[in-house]
Structure formats: C-alpha cells, structure tokens
Amino acid sequence: MPKILDYDHLEFFVGNAKQAAYYYRMAFGFRLTAVAGLETGVRDRASYLLEQGTIRFVLTTPLGPEHPAADHHKLHGDGVRSVALLVDDVPGMYRQTTANGAKGIQEPTELTGPDGSVQIASVATYGDTIHTFIDRSKYTGIFLPGYQPVEKDTLSRPANLQLVDHVVGNVEWHSMEKWVEYYERVFGFHKFWSVDDKQLYTEYSALRSTVVADPTERVKFPINEPAKAKRKSQIEEYVDYYRSAGVQHVAMHTENIIETVTKLRENGVEFLRIPSSYYETLEQRVGKIDEDVKTLARLGVLVDRDEYGYLLQLFTKPVEDRPTLFLEVIQRKGGRSFGLGNFKALFEAIERDQAARGNLTE
Ligand code: FE2
C-alpha cells in the first residue's frame, strides 16, 4: 500500500510570478531558493521555489497563452493549482487512486537531470485543483530537474514559519459529502473532525466543514461548503470569484506565534481585524494560557481550547485582488482541532470585509 509521507509543496499559478515571489519573500518571509525558466532551459513557463522551514511554495507563471497556466489564470486568477504530496511509491499511488476513481492528470513520469531522477504523477481533486505525487529518493539536486539554485536571498525577511499544518478546500453547495467520500475512497483518508451549520453560523451566514486526514494524520484537508442563511456565505463568495471549488487557505505552523505575527505585521501583512470585545471574555472561555492576553489582543491572535490543549491562530486578508485565497498562521500547544470557538469572531470579521466588498448580499 503506497503511503503519503508529508506535504511536498503547493504550486500556485499566478499572473506574474516574479512580482508574487517578491511579495512572499518581503511580506511572509520566504527565501527564494531555486528558479526555472528561460535561463534554465525551460521554454514555456517561469517558476520560483520559495522556502521557509519545511514549507515550499512554487509560483508559476506561463510565458504564453499555450501553457495550461494561462487558461487557469484567466478563469481563477491567482490560486493554488497543486497540493503536492511526498509519497513512497508514485506509480503505486497513481494506480491506486485512479483505480479508486480519481481522474488521472499526469501519468507516472521520471524527470531526469544531472543530480538523479524524480518520480512524479498527478490526479484531479475539487475544481481545477490537483494532487501531485512526488518521490525524490533517487535525487540529490535542488527541488526538481530544470530548477537552478539561487545562492543567497538578500530580500527575504524571515518570520519563522515552520511547516504546513493543513490545506483547506472550499467546494460548491451540497458537495462537501461528495468530496469527503472522495478522499475516503480514493486516498484511504478518514474523517478527523467536523462541524455543521448548527455550530458554524453568524447572524448572516453559515457553513459546514469536515476535516479528512491520511492514516498517519500528518496531512489534513478541511473541506468547507456553504450552508443556507440570511445572506451569502463567505464560501459562496469564494466560489463565485474563483469560478469553481478551490483552495481557500493554507495554514502554516510556527513555534512562537507572537514573534511570527509581530514580524509579519512589521513586514506589512494584513490580517483580519478582531474586535477588542473578543479578548474581554477570552480567559473565561479558554482558561489559563501562557501568553499575555494584551499582547494577543494587540496582534489580533485568536485562541481556542479542546480536550488535548489549546491553539493560537489568525488569518490574513485575501492575498490577491479576488476575495479568494488567504493564509493562516497557527501555533498548536496540544490543541488538535480547528478553532471552533473562534469561528464566530472570525466569520464576523470576514463578513465585515465581505460587506465592504458589496458581497454580503441576500
Ligand atoms: Fe484553518
């Protein structure tokens, strides 16, 4: 049985990877470590590999309308094309997932270069998003053949983000169950956590969410769908602007959220604004925590507790002009859930921005 070992990278299709790379380096603290493009013998696209901790983002832009990233970008704007997974057996994973009903996108292929070879394949998931499987156990070079290392990134302003915690998909009305079942059937994932619209609602909008995880629970994919309420759900706003299901947010873990968020704010990252009233009842709700509540309030960090411990988290505003993808910073101090106690404060913050965009409609 082939196994998923970890997240490998997230590949974004963007309109201008050179400029987007600058943003993720200056604002989010990623290091530019490798590039692929005309100078490295790649004729149809430019890709920038950005790294921080074990997190890898690849920003890809097409060099002409023939490249599939061009159509993708026209329809979706900037967004995540591939949630790539490190596996121990690429052909086995491709065979198993396609036999279980996944649509194949790229058959198992060996990419070869002077530093060895990498096995790669991909299958479709929600919307135009794909999962790429990668095995680089026979490769000693940087990232993938075709990439050249960048010696030193003098622009990067590191924020000590360490690893991908979870990657969230927004799907269309009434299709969450279908996609949960897809991950169970195709990948052998199981349900890890879920909330329904009786728990997840505000005065105006509602959603349902189920988290699926691989057998080791290293890889976790929450799947959200809109639910019926007075006004348009933020999930529906996303789907309207992304023009399909897609990745809503990527959560990145830090071991010190206060230091990380202080740095990100200095770098100019914009976070959702949390009302000060949230902090007045915080300790009543979550009990004693190690952090100073005034500091958390100043930084806008949210806290939630579950039976295992607690977690601290906060969310950026969308990182492109369409109100689609955003990023999350999370620190887990034992807490294994997804901040149910914060959803209401969070959604109200999102709704204020949604109303400002003229999209909190009936
Ligand atoms: Fe999240």
Side-chain angles (χ1 to χ4, degrees):
M1 186 81 170
K3 281 196 270 306
I4 293 173
L5 306 173
D6 204 344
Y7 301 97
D8 189 87
H9 67 272
L10 291 137
E11 183 171 26
F12 298 66
F13 279 171
V14 300
N16 186 333
K18 178 178 270 194
Q19 292 187 5
Y22 196 81
Y23 172 74
Y24 283 104
R25 293 153 76 194
M26 297 291 278
F28 284 94
F30 283 83
R31 269 179 312 123
L32 176 65
T33 54
V35 291
L38 293 174
E39 287 79 3
T40 74
V42 173
R43 305 302 302 171
D44 60 348
R45 65 182 165 86
S47 294
Y48 293 71
L49 173 64
L50 304 174
E51 296 187 71
Q52 187 166 191
T54 63
I55 308 164
R56 290 198 195 102
F57 284 1
V58 176
L59 307 176
T60 292
T61 210
L63 296 182
E66 308 78 16
H67 191 280
D71 283 340
H72 192 279
H73 186 261
K74 182 181 179 190
L75 186 63
H76 302 293
D78 289 7
V80 173
R81 163 63 169 170
S82 178
V83 179
L85 301 167
L86 188 68
V87 303
D88 65 350
D89 174 6
V90 167
M93 188 61 84
Y94 185 83
R95 257 197 319 275
Q96 181 196 308
T97 50
T98 51
N100 291 345
K103 182 177 155 211
I105 299 291
Q106 185 187 7
E107 294 204 357
T109 307
E110 193 163 68
L111 306 176
T112 306
D115 301 312
S117 65
V118 175
Q119 295 260 11
I120 193 162
S122 52
V123 299
T125 180
Y126 47 75
D128 282 331
T129 314
I130 64 171
H131 288 304
T132 303
F133 306 132
I134 295 191
D135 173 6
R136 54 166 69 80
S137 59
K138 297 196 179 67
Y139 186 65
T140 56
I142 189 146
F143 194 52
L144 295 174
Y147 281 78
Q148 270 176 15
V150 170
E151 277 306 303
K152 187 169 166 32
D153 186 346
T154 52
L155 282 180
S156 170
R157 299 194 286 204
N160 208 24
L161 292 165
Q162 282 138 355
L163 50 93
V164 173
D165 187 87
H166 57 274
V167 179
V168 182
N170 279 348
V171 299
E172 293 92 347
W173 279 95
H174 313 298
S175 54
M176 179 185 77
E177 276 308 322
K178 182 184 98 177
W179 287 108
V180 167
E181 188 270 330
Y182 180 86
Y183 278 100
E184 290 173 335
R185 171 169 47 89
V186 168
F187 292 95
F189 280 29
H190 58 274
K191 285 190 187 121
F192 181 80
W193 193 78
S194 77
V195 285
D196 66 21
D197 52 323
K198 310 270 182 312
Q199 297 165 290
L200 258 189
Y201 63 94
T202 65
E203 186 185 350
Y204 297 124
S205 70
L207 64 81
R208 283 183 275 268
S209 185
T210 297
V211 181
V212 291
D214 79 295
T216 70
E217 300 185 344
R218 167 66 191 111
V219 168
K220 295 188 201 79
F221 297 145
I223 314 259
N224 298 333
E225 71 175 0
K228 203 164 161 36
K230 264 200 247 173
R231 304 274 176 97
K232 183 185 276 194
S233 163
Q234 50 160 305
I235 309 305
E236 194 175 1
E237 187 198 32
Y238 173 101
V239 171
D240 284 352
Y241 280 87
Y242 201 64
R243 302 297 175 105
S244 75
V247 172
Q248 180 208 35
H249 74 267
V250 178
M252 300 178 287
H253 191 267
T254 167
E255 275 163 15
N256 188 331
I257 201 164
I258 290 176
E259 278 176 26
T260 293
V261 174
T262 299
K263 184 67 187 162
L264 293 175
R265 284 192 179 276
E266 275 169 25
N267 290 356
V269 173
E270 289 184 293
F271 292 97
L272 288 180
R273 205 179 50 75
I274 304 303
S276 57
S277 59
Y278 173 89
Y279 295 94
E280 286 160 17
T281 54
L282 181 66
E283 278 181 308
Q284 275 171 11
R285 195 163 59 70
V286 301
K288 212 179 135 28
I289 52 172
D290 303 334
E291 294 74 15
D292 172 40
V293 174
K294 278 205 193 72
T295 307
L296 297 179
R298 179 168 51 77
L299 295 171
V301 174
L302 303 163
V303 190
D304 196 30
R305 188 180 282 282
D306 61 27
E307 58 194 296
Y308 303 103
Y310 69 99
L311 63 87
L312 306 107
Q313 62 183 168
L314 84 172
F315 300 83
T316 72
K317 297 198 173 206
V319 290
E320 59 289 298
D321 290 296
R322 297 193 200 190
T324 52
L325 177 77
F326 59 87
L327 298 170
E328 173 181 350
V329 179
I330 184 167
Q331 179 180 5
R332 293 189 183 276
K333 297 183 99 168
R336 293 172 58 183
S337 62
F338 291 80
L340 179 60
N342 291 329
F343 275 89
K344 197 155 176 152
L346 178 66
F347 289 177
E348 284 167 357
I350 292 176
E351 282 164 14
R352 278 193 296 277
D353 288 356
Q354 198 180 333
R357 294 190 285 262
N359 290 332
L360 192 63
T361 50
E362 310 248 329

